[in-house]
Amino acid sequence: IRSGQVVVYLDRETGKVETMSTKLLSVAKDQGQPDILPSWQLHAWKMAQLIAVSTDRFLKLPSTSDVHDWQIMDDFAKSAHGRPLRSELLSALARGDVFSKFKKILRRRGMLDTWHSYRLRALHEMAVEWLKENDIAFLDAPNPARRR
């Protein structure tokens, strides 16, 4: 997942994941030269140049903004057993400071582990769907939340 000033790419040839500064990548795409780079950044510069010219080889991974936590929380709330819990969770989602209120309710009811397992399953399903959409072979490992 990428956020802020970095972007993460999957190298389709090697299977490696490369984390890249958006600034360095921008310079590489403009075919410019960066200011003097420290030795620890030379690999990143070479990768930025490669990513800039090898658009089919590198695939940008989804960002944190691509993961819609609110939607996952809404789905969880709607699937909650018992009308009082479902109503309380849906009410928390309709007001400000949604994330902390939602977790506070689950903590008070001793259901944080249930929520974390649900969220992990949802993220696993998103990852599998993303891999399929991008024709990337993968081992269909069991969903990690099901092992708990």
Side-chain angles (χ1 to χ4, degrees), residues 54-98:
S54 306
T55 55
D56 290 340
R57 177 175 168 179
F58 292 91
L59 185 62
K60 192 183 297 184
L61 294 177
S63 71
T64 53
S65 64
D66 295 324
V67 174
H68 303 287
D69 272 323
W70 188 91
Q71 185 62 55
I72 296 171
M73 291 176 3
D74 186 59
D75 293 343
F76 178 81
K78 289 175 180 173
S79 71
H81 297 290
R83 189 168 186 240
L85 173 61
R86 187 171 34 256
S87 294
E88 192 174 6
L89 290 172
L90 290 171
S91 176
L93 291 175
R95 298 185 303 239
D97 199 19
V98 172

Side-chain angles (χ1 to χ4, degrees), residues 124-134 138:
H124 179 268
E125 289 168 9
M126 285 181 205
V128 167
E129 186 61 32
W130 183 85
L131 290 166
K132 287 178 180 177
E133 286 173 4
N134 289 285
F138 62 97

Side-chain angles (χ1 to χ4, degrees), residues 29-61:
K29 285 183 177 180
D30 292 340
Q31 298 179 351
Q33 291 295 319
D35 296 331
I36 297 173
L37 290 174
S39 60
W40 61 267
Q41 225 177 2
L42 292 177
H43 172 76
W45 172 241
K46 289 177 184 176
M47 289 309 302
Q49 291 174 306
L50 190 57
I51 290 168
V53 297
S54 306
T55 55
D56 290 340
R57 177 175 168 179
F58 292 91
L59 185 62
K60 192 183 297 184
L61 294 177

